[in-house]
Amino acid sequence: MRGRRSLRSRLTALITVAVALAIAACAGTCWLIVRDELYDQVDRTLQGHPRGGPPGDGPPKERDLSRVLELCAAGRTSPAGGDGLRPFLPLVQVVYLDGRQCVLGPTAVVVTRADRAVAAAGPGDAGLRNGVTDEGEPVRVRTANVAPGVAMMESRSLTQTESTLTWLAGILSGVAALGVLGAALAGLLISRTALRPVGRLTEAVEHVARTEDLATRIPVEGTDEIARLGASFNAMTSALAGSRERQRRLIADAGHELRTPLTSLRTNIDLLLRSENTGRPLAPDPKRRLLGNLKAQFEEMSTLVGDLLQLSRSEDEHEPYVEVAFHDVVESAVRRARLRAPETPMEVGLGPWYVHGDQAALERAVVNLLDNAVKFSAGPVAVRLRAGELTVRDRGPGIPQDELPYVFDRFWRSSSARSMPGSGLGLAIVAQAVQDAGGEVALENAAGGGTLARVRLPGSPHRS
């Protein structure tokens, strides 16, 4: 099966066809106008209204008509130079009711039934029609009743008219052919010029597909659709490069974070195996502590893997968004946080607020905020939900001002928190869940000490 033609060839063909149709329409219209004008001149001559013709170039006057009838009555079949007839038309012939014909001219025009009907009718005009002579020459014919039982046929040759139209058709065809050839050349030039940016874009895409070099950029010139396409391609490659870099950093950071618990696990397990293999088992208390450490390390790894899976989910993998009573989500998260840290009091004030999002993701985000506040707070944690804004304030030491821009980065941990348990992914999960729900999250140092987290989600205080 043949491949599809290139865009350049299709655009050239489209321009050529469009121009060819326009030229053909103009040439055809011109030819029809000239033909109608030439036929109109012939008709006006036959009807006695010549346009721009010499005086006397029209149908015979009454004296000429009488002379024609006299000649026909005398049996003449062609006019002589001394007959006194005005040279009005090349062909004149008379048709009688009994079928006789009198031809005054070099040849006769074929008589039709309509012409004989005019002879039988009263005074009148049969109008104009196309006819032929006995020799096959095309003529324009006007038949009129000139006397009882007598009709006169006045004819004018169309040979010159047809020749002119044929010559004009040849001229117009030649002009149209030249126009189509010029249109093809112009279409090729236009398509090459117009598609040159598309060619550069195609080469860039093929280069990216071949080398996976996402640093490729296309020069953007102007503000037309091609320029917008180039700018969109540059934005796409920048986004892909950023995504690849984030993925690389995530893998590197995950490997770094997993190295410590894996090393500790291997060390502890090796110690257990060595004690069993050497026949010198550990004492119950050291063994219990060792198993407790193994369990804590497994839990830390499980939490880290779960957080990584949460962050690696694409937008298409989350649960379908439904209307969620966000105040109920916050209340459930508070209950979970109280179970984890019963010694830390919580001051809760929740107003109704309904949002559209993933309930499980939103609840995990709130739990992470509360766990983070409880971990550092030296006093009660205040939780408020008013008009779509959730605030969580702790009474801890706060965050250094120069570290605030990085608190939502993956695996980032404050210098004061690196000795505490955690993977550094909790706030990153909060930022992703809030962003997926169309909201905003911010962390700042509260007036009077401590940290204040703000979460704003679009919604309504009433269920829809």
Side-chain angles (χ1 to χ4, degrees):
M1 184 177 66
R2 293 192 312 174
R4 295 191 63 181
R5 299 172 60 188
S6 66
L7 179 59
R8 178 179 298 172
S9 63
R10 281 183 284 164
L11 182 58
T12 301
L14 181 62
I15 295 175
T16 303
V17 171
V19 175
L21 290 177
I23 293 176
C26 292
T29 303
C30 179
W31 187 86
L32 290 175
I33 291 174
V34 173
R35 186 199 64 174
D36 292 343
E37 182 62 24
L38 292 177
Y39 272 86
D40 185 63
Q41 290 181 3
V42 174
D43 293 345
R44 284 178 175 274
T45 301
L46 288 173
Q47 292 173 340
H49 307 290
R51 179 187 299 173
D57 188 16
K61 297 182 179 179
E62 292 184 4
R63 63 183 182 84
D64 295 329
L65 178 59
S66 300
R67 186 61 177 155
V68 168
L69 294 179
E70 289 177 3
L71 290 173
C72 289
R76 296 286 299 272
T77 58
S78 61
D83 290 331
L85 283 175
R86 180 171 60 89
F88 50 87
L89 284 174
L91 298 177
V92 175
Q93 67 187 71
V94 179
V95 178
Y96 294 93
L97 184 61
D98 57 7
R100 291 181 296 115
Q101 299 181 32
C102 173
V103 180
L104 301 177
T107 184
V109 177
V110 176
V111 179
T112 65
R113 183 179 301 175
D115 298 326
R116 296 189 182 93
V118 172
D125 192 332
L128 297 166
R129 67 175 178 85
N130 290 335
V132 293
T133 65
D134 291 339
E135 298 175 355
E137 180 184 5
V139 293
R140 190 73 168 161
V141 183
R142 175 178 178 267
T143 304
N145 186 286
V146 296
V150 180
M152 186 169 67
M153 299 172 60
E154 305 165 26
S155 307
R156 189 173 183 87
S157 174
L158 295 178
T159 301
Q160 186 62 35
T161 301
E162 297 294 340
S163 176
T164 300
L165 291 175
T166 302
W167 173 82
L168 179 62
I171 293 296
L172 292 176
S173 298
V175 172
L178 292 176
V180 171
L181 179 60
L185 296 176
L188 181 60
L189 178 62
I190 292 173
S191 63
R192 284 181 176 176
T193 303
L195 296 179
R196 189 174 293 117
V198 178
R200 291 199 299 266
L201 178 61
T202 303
E203 292 175 358
V205 172
E206 291 174 347
H207 174 74
V208 171
R210 184 173 59 254
T211 64
E212 297 185 359
D213 180 15
L214 296 177
T216 303
R217 294 293 180 270
I218 297 176
V220 178
E221 302 174 357
T223 58
D224 57 7
E225 289 78 2
I226 300 298
R228 290 171 55 194
L229 182 60
S232 299
F233 175 81
N234 291 338
M236 180 189 69
T237 54
S238 297
L240 289 175
S243 176
R244 173 186 287 182
E245 177 61 20
R246 288 191 297 271
Q247 184 181 33
R248 186 193 65 78
R249 286 169 50 195
L250 177 63
I251 294 174
D253 292 340
H256 177 74
E257 292 292 330
L258 286 171
R259 186 178 296 115
T260 299
L262 284 175
T263 302
S264 178
L265 281 171
R266 184 172 57 188
T267 302
N268 291 332
I269 291 175
D270 286 343
L271 179 60
L272 285 173
L273 289 176
R274 189 180 303 113
S275 67
E276 295 295 331
N277 292 335
T278 58
R280 291 180 297 176
L282 294 174
D285 288 341
K287 186 175 183 179
R288 189 179 304 107
R289 287 195 300 271
L290 183 60
L291 292 176
N293 289 335
L294 287 175
K295 180 180 179 182
Q297 290 158 4
F298 274 117
E299 290 177 350
E300 184 179 353
M301 286 188 59
S302 298
T303 301
L304 178 59
V305 171
D307 290 344
L308 288 173
L309 291 176
Q310 176 73 18
L311 287 173
S312 64
R313 288 192 316 171
S314 66
E315 294 184 359
D316 297 333
E317 294 176 346
H318 58 62
E319 296 294 328
Y321 285 171
V322 295
E323 187 177 56
V324 177
F326 189 53
H327 50 280
D328 292 340
V329 170
V330 177
E331 186 177 358
S332 176
V334 168
R335 286 197 299 267
R336 292 172 58 182
R338 281 173 173 166
L339 291 175
R340 297 182 182 184
E343 70 283 358
T344 303
M346 293 190 182
E347 301 171 355
V348 182
L350 306 178
W353 194 253
Y354 295 90
V355 300
H356 278 81
D358 184 347
Q359 181 170 347
L362 290 175
E363 183 170 345
R364 182 167 187 177
V366 178
V367 168
N368 285 355
L369 283 177
L370 295 176
D371 285 346
N372 198 64
V374 168
K375 185 187 302 182
F376 297 99
S377 184
V381 174
V383 182
R384 300 286 186 269
L385 176 60
R386 294 289 184 272
E389 182 180 78
L390 171 68
T391 59
V392 178
R393 177 179 177 176
D394 61 46
R395 302 291 177 176
I399 301 175
Q401 197 66 30
D402 59 338
E403 295 183 358
L404 282 176
Y406 310 105
V407 293
F408 294 106
D409 290 351
R410 296 173 180 178
F411 295 106
W412 181 88
R413 302 181 72 183
S414 174
S415 56
S416 61
R418 289 173 185 170
S419 60
M420 305 182 70
S423 63
L425 295 176
L427 291 180
I429 293 175
V430 172
Q432 177 173 300
V434 173
Q435 183 179 1
D436 290 344
E440 300 175 352
V441 60
L443 206 63
E444 61 191 50
N445 289 316
T451 304
L452 178 64
R454 298 180 184 272
V455 176
R456 298 180 182 89
L457 292 175
S460 170
H462 307 287
R463 187 183 297 274
S464 60

